[in-house]
Amino acid sequence: MASNPLKAGKELWSKNRRRVLVAACVVVVALAYGHHSPKVKTERAEIPAGYESAGRELAVHAEAKPEKPVPLLLVLHDDESDAKTIEKDSKASALADQQKFALVYPEAVASNWQTDGKDARYLWDVVRYVAKERSNIDMSRIYIWGAGEGGRLALTVACGPLDPAQQPLFTAVGTVNTVGPPACPARVHVKPVTLAPGRKWNEATTSELWKFSKDIKG
């Protein structure tokens, strides 16, 4: 007598039901994760024409179209260094992926920062460029950190005379091994960090600076 195909099908489903449901859940979670958490890569870019700093380079690590405006953080390398090195040492890109903020590593000309108007203008152009053309930025949450001379430039830009028509408002400044920082007005929150001799900026330092920065209300 021939077997009943319906009965056989029910038995097969009963035996494999849990396995099928688990596999389906895995697929759904994977699709949801892929939709809501696009992988962000650090990309080299140039400030385009139309900005005073046109042609200046930077590295951008930012989601192109986040659903809600996100904070923006600028991380400045020390003199005789570069954007690639500070990204590697700070591990800030991994933190940006976890905490959902846009990140930029500006690049000094010939690896040395100038605290005159030219590099200040470049940093203001970096903020405008990223906010206008690279991501959806919460302009009340602009943070800037710097190591050594990068920290000095960060303080110079953030703590200088405020002209809303020409520059964004930096809410918080973090400095690492920066000597002799200029005085800052009360509107700017400053977090100086001094590392032991020979110790590089690392992931723990980045976490410390981020906790300080994100707790500041714009």
Side-chain angles (χ1 to χ4, degrees):
M1 182 176 181
S3 60
N4 186 335
L6 293 178
K7 182 179 179 180
K10 288 179 180 180
E11 290 176 351
L12 183 62
W13 165 249
S14 179
K15 183 183 296 185
N16 295 286
R17 180 182 179 186
R18 185 174 181 275
R19 186 179 301 172
V20 172
L21 291 177
V22 169
C25 288
V26 170
V27 171
V28 169
V29 170
L31 289 174
Y33 181 83
H35 176 72
H36 294 292
S37 303
K39 185 172 178 59
V40 178
K41 295 182 179 179
T42 302
E43 299 178 344
R44 296 291 301 184
E46 284 189 3
I47 302 293
Y51 296 83
E52 284 191 32
S53 306
R56 287 286 300 266
E57 296 187 349
L58 65 156
V60 181
H61 189 94
E63 185 179 344
K65 296 180 179 180
E67 293 181 2
K68 297 180 180 179
V70 296
L72 172 63
L73 169 63
L74 282 66
V75 180
L76 278 59
H77 62 79
D78 199 354
D79 278 0
E80 308 305 327
S81 186
D82 56 27
K84 185 176 181 179
T85 299
I86 196 65
E87 180 181 24
K88 179 181 178 181
D89 289 347
S90 69
K91 307 291 192 298
S93 293
L95 182 67
D97 292 339
Q98 296 170 8
Q99 300 293 335
K100 307 302 180 187
F101 62 89
L103 180 60
V104 178
Y105 302 96
E107 191 87 71
V109 174
S111 298
N112 287 277
W113 294 112
Q114 303 297 322
T115 56
D116 60 13
K118 183 177 292 187
D119 273 350
R121 167 58 58 192
Y122 163 61
L123 296 183
W124 299 336
D125 282 349
V126 165
V127 173
R128 288 196 184 88
Y129 163 64
V130 174
K132 183 179 179 181
E133 305 185 40
R134 298 298 300 244
S135 191
N136 181 12
I137 301 301
D138 179 353
M139 297 301 287
S140 70
R141 295 278 188 161
I142 308 295
Y143 311 130
I144 185 169
W145 304 342
E149 288 303 301
R152 184 184 297 275
L153 177 60
L155 288 165
T156 300
V157 172
C159 302
L162 180 62
D163 183 352
Q166 294 186 1
Q167 68 186 77
L169 174 64
F170 290 96
T171 303
V173 183
T175 66
V176 180
N177 285 0
T178 297
V179 180
C184 277
R187 64 176 172 79
V188 181
H189 304 269
V190 181
K191 171 76 170 179
V193 176
T194 302
L195 303 178
R199 181 182 164 207
K200 288 185 177 182
W201 183 335
N202 60 18
E203 187 174 1
T205 305
T206 296
S207 297
E208 180 183 348
L209 288 174
W210 176 248
K211 185 178 187 306
F212 158 77
S213 300
K214 74 181 182 64
D215 288 341
I216 299 300
K217 305 300 181 183

